[in-house]
């Protein structure tokens, strides 16, 4: 699908959102962006209630199913005894309208799917040779053998000096559903 190539449309509140380590997916397999392959994905704050929402939808379905099953049992007993069918049960989640058929399990469209956001486009460093003002999660340092760190160099581009850190140069800002991509 074309959406898999482009990603989803960013909501205005998501534009400019910096990397926040506390928002990284708990599963290591979901931390790399499928587009830029940087390991700084974050979960969208807007989807924090997804699990709660989905659990509520599931509980509603289970409750309506119990109501329906109870009705079917009472209807079968009434039909076997030659009595009239009992009144349709009421749906407590829809203004007590009559429930005239078995409730359907929540569909994929009714459930919320958590989204992941690549904030690379918001990474930058402000001063050559310093972390001051940097929004780069790796502080523009590459790790060498033995754990030694070395800063990425700055080069002259036009009339400006620009950091050559791959995160600062990356313009990825994709928003996507994690389960749409293989781990």
């Amino acid at each position: 699908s074309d959406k898999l190539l482009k990603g989803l449309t960013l909501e205005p509140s998501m534009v400019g959102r910096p990397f926040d380590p506390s928002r990284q997916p708990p599963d290591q397999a979901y931390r790399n962006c499928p587009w830029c392959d940087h390991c700084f994905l974050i979960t969208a704050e807007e989807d924090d209630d997804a699990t709660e929402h989905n659990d509520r939808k599931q509980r509603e379905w289970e409750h309506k199913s119990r109501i329906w099953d109870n009705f079917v049992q009472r209807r079968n007993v009434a039909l076997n005894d030659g009595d009239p069918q009992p009144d349709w049960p009421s749906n407590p989640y829809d203004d007590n309208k009559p429930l005239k058929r078995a409730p359907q399990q929540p569909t994929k469209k009714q459930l919320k799917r958590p989204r992941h956001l690549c904030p690379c486009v918001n990474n930058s460093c402000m001063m050559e040779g310093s972390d001051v003002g940097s929004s780069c999660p790796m502080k523009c340092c590459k790790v060498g053998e033995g754990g030694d760190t070395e800063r990425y160099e700055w080069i002259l581009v036009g009339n400006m000096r620009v950091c050559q850190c791959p995160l600062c140069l990356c313009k990825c800002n994709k928003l996507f559903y994690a389960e749409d991509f293989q781990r």
Side-chain angles (χ1 to χ4, degrees):
S1 145
D2 204 27
K3 267 197 174 158
L4 293 181
L5 296 176
K6 293 180 183 176
L8 303 170
T9 304
L10 283 178
E11 296 173 15
S13 64
M14 295 176 174
V15 175
R17 186 166 294 163
F19 172 72
D20 177 358
S22 69
R23 300 215 53 87
Q24 277 199 298
D27 187 343
Q28 287 278 35
Y30 283 120
R31 291 190 179 183
N32 281 42
C33 175
W35 281 273
C36 69
D37 200 36
H38 292 135
C39 61
F40 296 101
L41 284 180
I42 57 175
T43 56
E45 292 174 24
E46 292 77 1
D47 298 335
D48 282 352
D49 68 338
T51 303
E52 183 180 303
H53 170 83
N54 295 345
D55 288 348
R56 187 179 71 250
K57 287 286 187 191
Q58 188 68 23
R59 282 192 308 273
E60 286 177 12
W61 172 74
E62 289 169 355
H63 184 218
K64 289 190 288 188
S65 293
R66 283 193 303 272
I67 292 170
W68 181 256
D69 292 343
N70 186 330
F71 165 74
V72 169
Q73 285 179 339
R74 289 185 297 121
R75 181 180 65 187
N76 290 343
V77 168
L79 291 175
N80 288 340
D81 292 346
D83 295 334
Q85 175 178 310
D87 290 336
W88 295 106
S90 59
N91 182 348
Y93 303 99
D94 191 14
D95 296 329
N96 287 323
K97 292 180 182 172
L99 193 59
K100 294 190 175 184
R101 64 182 183 143
Q104 301 297 310
Q105 248 187 322
T107 64
K108 206 172 189 179
K109 284 189 175 189
Q110 293 170 320
L111 299 176
K112 283 188 174 182
R113 299 188 319 165
R115 297 169 295 175
H116 290 179
L117 171 67
C118 181
C120 281
V121 72
N122 303 315
N123 296 331
S124 66
C125 46
M126 305 301 285
M127 294 170 40
E128 189 172 353
S130 173
D131 293 342
V132 176
S134 176
S135 61
C136 179
M138 57 187 218
K139 302 296 182 203
C140 303
C141 289
K142 50 186 164 187
V143 180
E145 292 179 29
D148 296 337
T149 58
E150 178 186 337
R151 290 197 167 280
Y152 283 95
E153 57 185 81
W154 288 53
I155 62 168
L156 193 62
V157 176
N159 61 353
M160 286 179 52
R161 290 188 56 80
V162 179
C163 176
Q164 294 303 295
C165 168
L167 286 180
C168 293
L169 293 175
C170 184
K171 298 303 171 206
C172 185
N173 68 341
K174 300 295 187 192
L175 175 70
F176 60 95
Y177 294 115
E179 66 267 15
D180 286 347
F181 295 90
Q182 291 180 350
R183 297 183 195 201

